[in-house]
Amino acid sequence: MTLLAIVISGFVLAIAAPWVTRATGKSAGWILAALPAAIAGYLISQVSGVASGQTVSVAYQWIPGLGIDLSFMLDGLSLLFALMISGIGALILIYAGGYLAGHPHQGRLFCFLLLFMGSMLGVVLAANVLTLFVFWELTSITSYLLIGFDHRRKEARAAALQALLVTGLGGLAMLAGLLLMGHVAGSYSISEILSRRDVLQSHALAPAITILVLVGCFTKSAQFPFHFWLPGAMEAPTPISAYLHSSTMVKAGIYLMARLTPALGSTELWQWLLTGAGAATMLAGALLAMREAYLKRLLAYSTVSALGIITMGLGIGTEKAISAAIAFILAHALYKGSLFMVAGAIDHETGEKNVDKLSGLRRAMPILSIVALLAAASQAGFPPLAGFVAKEMMLESALHAPIIAVVLTAALTLSAALLVVVAGLVAFKPFFGGERPTPKHAHEPPLSLLLGPGLLAILGVAVALVPGMLADPLIAPAASATLGTESHTHFKIWHGFNLALGLSAIATGVGVLVYATRSRWMPLAGATSGLDRLSPTACYHGVLRFVTAFAESQTRMIQTGRLRDYLIVIFLVTIGVVSYPLLTRVGPPVWNELGTLHWLDVGIAVLILLSAFAAVTAKNRLLAIIALGMAGLGVTMFYVIYAAPDLALTQISIEALSVVLFVLVFRRLPDFRSLSSRAGKLRDVLIACAGGGMMAGLVLMATSYPSATSVSRDLAERSYPEGHGKNVVNVILVDFRAMDTMGEITVLAIAALGVLALLKLRDRIDDEHPTAAPDAGGST
């Protein structure tokens, strides 16, 4: 029950967030943060139990017919992610309260943040892959709302759409993979799927399952070549960027890869895909960051690089590599969340976000400068910080990787050096050197903007200094859940003098050197902009332009604005879809009861045909309506002959109502006969004949096959016991086909409202433009 409450509570509070904001004003962020703080407190209370191997789980029936439950579980992996989501979420709400103080839509922002938090908690706590997918898609939708929060700006809308399209398409591929996985494993329960590793990996669909699931993970976690949406998402306000891109949305893909490692890991396909994509993402993110000068985009590209490092670690798959990846997840969440909030505080208090125009702020912002240095030092891998330990563990894992160890180690060392440069640009350059004027008078940010980054930066130090108390209880159970066996790797700051330490020192030295000489090679980085035409971003925009142009051409061709064109398309599609299987699979219809026809049947049928012919050839529309009504009455006579008086009465009522409506409507409409050419009328005749032929064939086909049981007798027998009605027709209408009847009533009601709207519009046009109104006609 507690796990369900943890997930649902975010959605409930999100509904109330706008009212809470209006009622409490500047204190809203602090008040709303109480919920994620309480969730984090509960999760902390579960650390010792989970670390000892316990798993908390709950399950509720959701769709019993399909064997699908709404189930949640808390093990080592989900505990680590849930703690980051709720803990950092509480700090983000406080930060957002100060960052957007006085903003007219601050309540909306709190609402979106809480919806997103609930969705992310649902992803990491789900114990069923279909439950996980539902919350996965909710994160896509809520992140769309968050990234496009400033929806009046075109750039924000485009970035939100880009993130939604990339992650949404990946989600569809992942859904296919999850369904196949559940089909092969025989269950959608995550624990049961993980226990059937041999069945999954030996199945012929295993490669397809792996690729489809990883497409979803790669798009969500911004792996190359899907990485471009993440820097674009920096159009969102800083609290959103800090939350989505430090510990939550981009980590959802990482979480799923880690979660499914016991089932899909260790295969060559899994290993090469994760290692290759991770290494490519790691290098691409670090290199692209070198071209950026804006704080948040610098951090975004460094996040892409870090996500690549984590994915590469999961791909290597050894116990050390898995533990290193988990340690990197924790270290990255701490320092990147802090750095994003520092970047936002700089922009908020100076009005400037370009690092080339920022310098000497440490005198105006002494506390913020210390916080920035601590967080950036962790990103750069300086001891004694969490980032240093995670980097050491990852380098050691790359050195002993089962595949291309030399390549992976060299790529990781280069990326680590470039991340040192990013750390210097974000945390050293704005605060040191000579003072430069800024658009706003620089000053220390308020407590709400300092608490979050400060606390995360301090935790980055504490985790490294007292790993036995803070790191191991979280990292070891998470690594064990990812491995599927107990992990014996420990998070410790000193690993001795070894090759990994030497490579770490080389990376740090090279990074410092590159930072110091940045002005010399910046033109070289700028010269690579010509390659942007071949980048994934350019491909995305090219595909989007093509799809938009194709949709516009289709719209121009199909959406003519004329109802009769739409009806022609509907009729032709219906005739084609129904006639094709009738002619190719069923064969020509057979009239088994031709010899049983009575002369009265033939007479009524001839009457209906003559009425229909009179309706389409009548010179006066009133005569056409009367002829149409006669055709309907002819059908009614069949009901009377074959002992269905209730249906006959119903049909008479409908025909009478139809005639009245037709008379009312047609007398207000122009004479359509003059709008159709001779060729158009011939086309309409052919379509009508084809439609009538299709329906005749369908009825003949249906009556050609004898039913095993009599439908009428069956309905009569069930009428009273099940519908509690002695009138079979009434029971059929209101019970057995209740939804159909409701649909018909709805259609009639909507049609009536449409007619009323048209009449009202016509009256308004007549009043405003009495001379321009079309001829009401009706007497031709």
Side-chain angles (χ1 to χ4, degrees):
M1 181 63 187
T2 306
L3 296 181
L4 179 63
I6 286 175
V7 175
I8 299 299
S9 59
F11 294 96
V12 174
L13 186 59
I15 297 172
W19 286 275
V20 174
T21 305
R22 280 196 291 271
T24 58
K26 294 181 179 179
S27 304
W30 295 87
I31 294 171
L32 294 172
L35 174 66
I39 294 174
Y42 168 78
L43 294 171
I44 290 172
S45 71
Q46 301 297 312
V47 168
S48 60
V50 172
S52 63
Q54 297 178 6
T55 298
V56 181
S57 60
V58 293
Y60 308 91
Q61 282 194 343
W62 184 11
I63 311 176
L66 298 177
I68 299 174
D69 293 333
L70 183 65
S71 52
F72 301 97
M73 68 176 181
L74 184 71
D75 65 354
L77 187 62
S78 54
L79 174 64
L80 173 66
F81 278 86
L83 195 54
M84 291 192 301
I85 293 165
S86 54
I88 296 179
L91 297 176
I92 290 293
L93 287 172
I94 295 172
Y95 184 86
Y99 191 87
L100 293 179
H103 194 286
H105 298 145
Q106 191 182 44
R108 183 189 302 172
L109 175 69
F110 286 136
C111 173
F112 292 165
L113 284 172
L114 288 166
L115 287 175
F116 180 80
M117 184 192 74
S119 304
M120 275 302 304
L121 287 171
V123 169
V124 301
L125 294 175
N128 181 298
V129 291
L130 296 183
T131 306
L132 184 149
F133 179 77
V134 170
F135 287 106
W136 180 283
E137 289 303 295
L138 282 176
T139 64
S140 297
I141 295 170
T142 49
S143 65
Y144 170 79
L145 298 173
L146 286 168
I147 296 170
F149 174 73
D150 192 4
H151 58 87
R152 294 182 184 277
R153 290 194 305 114
K154 178 182 177 182
E155 294 80 4
R157 296 196 303 273
L161 180 63
Q162 185 183 64
L164 181 66
L165 288 176
V166 174
T167 59
L169 290 174
L172 290 177
M174 192 185 80
L175 175 61
L178 295 178
L179 291 175
L180 288 176
M181 184 187 298
H183 172 71
V184 173
S187 173
Y188 294 107
S189 164
I190 290 177
S191 59
E192 293 188 24
I193 288 174
L194 298 184
S195 67
R196 295 170 189 173
R197 169 198 179 98
D198 294 339
V199 175
L200 280 169
Q201 296 196 357
S202 61
H203 199 276
L205 290 173
I209 292 171
T210 300
I211 292 172
L212 289 170
V213 170
L214 287 183
V215 168
C217 296
F218 285 177
T219 53
K220 201 76 163 182
S221 59
Q223 298 297 300
F224 183 87
F226 308 110
H227 64 283
F228 55 89
W229 70 262
L230 197 154
M234 294 301 110
E235 295 293 338
T238 298
I240 298 170
S241 303
Y243 196 34
L244 269 63
H245 307 130
S246 64
S247 59
T248 52
M249 182 176 175
V250 294
K251 297 283 176 60
I254 299 291
Y255 167 80
L256 189 56
M257 285 188 277
R259 173 59 73 195
L260 296 179
T261 292
L264 302 177
S266 301
T267 63
E268 286 192 6
L269 180 63
W270 177 273
Q271 200 169 40
W272 278 101
L273 284 176
L274 263 66
T275 307
T281 305
M282 174 180 65
L283 282 174
L287 290 171
L288 290 172
M290 297 299 100
R291 295 167 42 182
E292 296 296 333
Y294 287 92
L295 286 167
K296 285 174 60 180
R297 289 185 67 84
L298 270 166
L299 294 172
Y301 277 114
S302 67
T303 297
V304 170
S305 183
L307 294 171
I309 293 172
I310 298 168
T311 302
M312 189 183 76
L314 294 174
I316 293 172
T318 61
E319 181 184 339
K320 286 186 177 179
I322 295 292
S323 298
I326 298 297
F328 213 99
I329 289 170
L330 177 61
H332 177 261
L334 294 176
Y335 72 68
K336 192 53 63 72
S338 178
L339 285 176
F340 264 118
M341 286 190 268
V342 167
I346 294 174
D347 182 22
H348 192 268
E349 305 305 336
T350 67
E352 183 57 71
K353 59 185 73 173
N354 189 330
V355 295
D356 290 332
K357 298 179 181 178
L358 291 169
S359 180
L361 293 176
R362 73 180 185 282
R363 298 179 183 84
M365 304 176 169
I367 299 177
L368 189 67
S369 65
I370 294 172
V371 171
L373 285 176
L374 278 177
S378 185
Q379 172 172 310
F382 290 170
L385 298 162
F388 168 76
V389 183
K391 185 176 70 171
E392 291 280 291
M393 295 173 70
M394 191 60 72
L395 279 168
E396 194 170 344
S397 303
L399 284 168
H400 299 91
I403 57 172
I404 55 174
V406 176
V407 176
L408 296 180
T409 304
L412 180 59
T413 305
L414 175 60
S415 299
L418 296 179
L419 290 180
V420 173
V421 181
V422 174
L425 291 172
V426 172
F428 187 82
K429 189 176 184 308
F431 295 102
F432 294 87
E435 293 187 25
R436 299 187 65 171
T438 54
K440 293 166 62 177
H441 175 65
H443 57 85
E444 196 76 83
L447 176 62
S448 57
L449 299 189
L450 280 174
L451 179 65
L455 191 55
L456 292 178
I458 292 171
L459 279 175
V461 182
V463 162
L465 293 180
V466 284
M469 181 180 298
L470 299 176
D472 276 341
L474 293 175
I475 294 175
S480 299
T482 306
L483 286 165
T485 59
E486 187 178 355
S487 171
H488 302 284
T489 303
H490 295 286
F491 189 89
K492 57 183 180 180
I493 196 168
W494 180 246
H495 291 252
F497 291 101
N498 53 26
L499 184 54
L501 181 64
L503 291 173
S504 178
I506 292 173
T508 303
V510 171
V512 172
L513 180 63
V514 172
Y515 174 80
T517 59
R518 178 171 175 261
S519 59
R520 296 184 182 180
W521 50 262
M522 271 303 292
L524 179 63
T528 61
S529 59
L531 298 175
D532 290 348
R533 289 176 297 176
L534 304 175
S535 67
T537 308
C539 292
Y540 164 79
H541 288 297
V543 171
L544 194 62
R545 282 195 297 271
F546 170 77
V547 172
T548 303
F550 181 74
E552 289 176 349
S553 67
Q554 294 298 303
T555 302
R556 284 194 297 271
M557 185 172 65
I558 298 174
Q559 299 292 327
T560 61
R562 295 184 297 184
L563 178 61
R564 49 186 169 166
D565 291 343
Y566 304 152
L567 291 176
I568 288 173
V569 172
I570 293 171
F571 286 140
L572 288 178
V573 171
T574 304
I575 292 169
V577 170
V578 175
S579 299
Y580 179 76
L582 278 179
L583 296 176
T584 59
R585 301 185 181 182
V586 179
V590 179
W591 198 341
N592 292 328
E593 300 179 355
L594 185 61
T596 63
L597 282 178
H598 191 269
W599 64 268
L600 195 55
D601 299 332
V602 177
I604 294 173
V606 171
L607 176 64
I608 294 173
L609 288 173
L610 290 176
S611 301
F613 183 76
V616 298
T617 58
K619 299 296 183 184
N620 188 296
R621 287 188 292 184
L622 185 58
L623 291 178
I625 294 170
I626 293 173
L628 200 61
M630 289 180 64
L633 291 176
V635 175
T636 305
M637 294 173 69
F638 278 124
Y639 294 143
V640 173
I641 292 172
Y642 289 97
D646 291 343
L647 282 179
L649 289 174
T650 305
Q651 183 72 21
I652 289 174
S653 302
I654 292 174
E655 291 301 329
L657 180 62
S658 300
V659 168
V660 172
L661 287 175
F662 277 135
V663 170
L664 289 174
V665 173
F666 272 85
R667 65 182 294 273
R668 303 299 301 269
L669 295 177
D671 185 7
F672 288 109
R673 293 175 306 164
S674 61
L675 300 178
S676 298
S677 63
R678 183 177 295 275
K681 293 177 180 176
L682 178 60
R683 175 202 60 200
D684 296 342
V685 168
L686 293 176
I687 293 174
C689 291
M694 176 204 72
M695 288 304 302
L698 192 62
V699 171
L700 288 175
M701 185 275 294
T703 56
S704 297
Y705 292 90
S707 174
T709 58
S710 171
V711 175
S712 57
R713 186 169 58 250
D714 178 65
L715 292 177
E717 292 173 353
R718 294 168 50 199
S719 175
Y720 188 75
E722 297 183 17
H724 305 288
K726 295 181 180 179
N727 188 313
V728 179
V729 175
N730 287 348
V731 172
I732 292 173
L733 290 175
V734 301
D735 284 289
F736 294 153
R737 45 165 294 194
M739 295 299 293
D740 189 24
T741 303
M742 189 178 71
E744 291 174 351
I745 294 172
T746 305
V747 169
L748 281 176
I750 293 174
L753 290 174
V755 171
L756 180 63
L758 289 173
L759 294 176
K760 291 288 185 183
L761 179 64
R762 180 62 178 270
D763 292 341
R764 184 182 300 173
I765 294 175
D766 289 346
D767 294 340
E768 295 177 356
H769 308 284
T771 58
D775 183 11
S779 60
T780 55

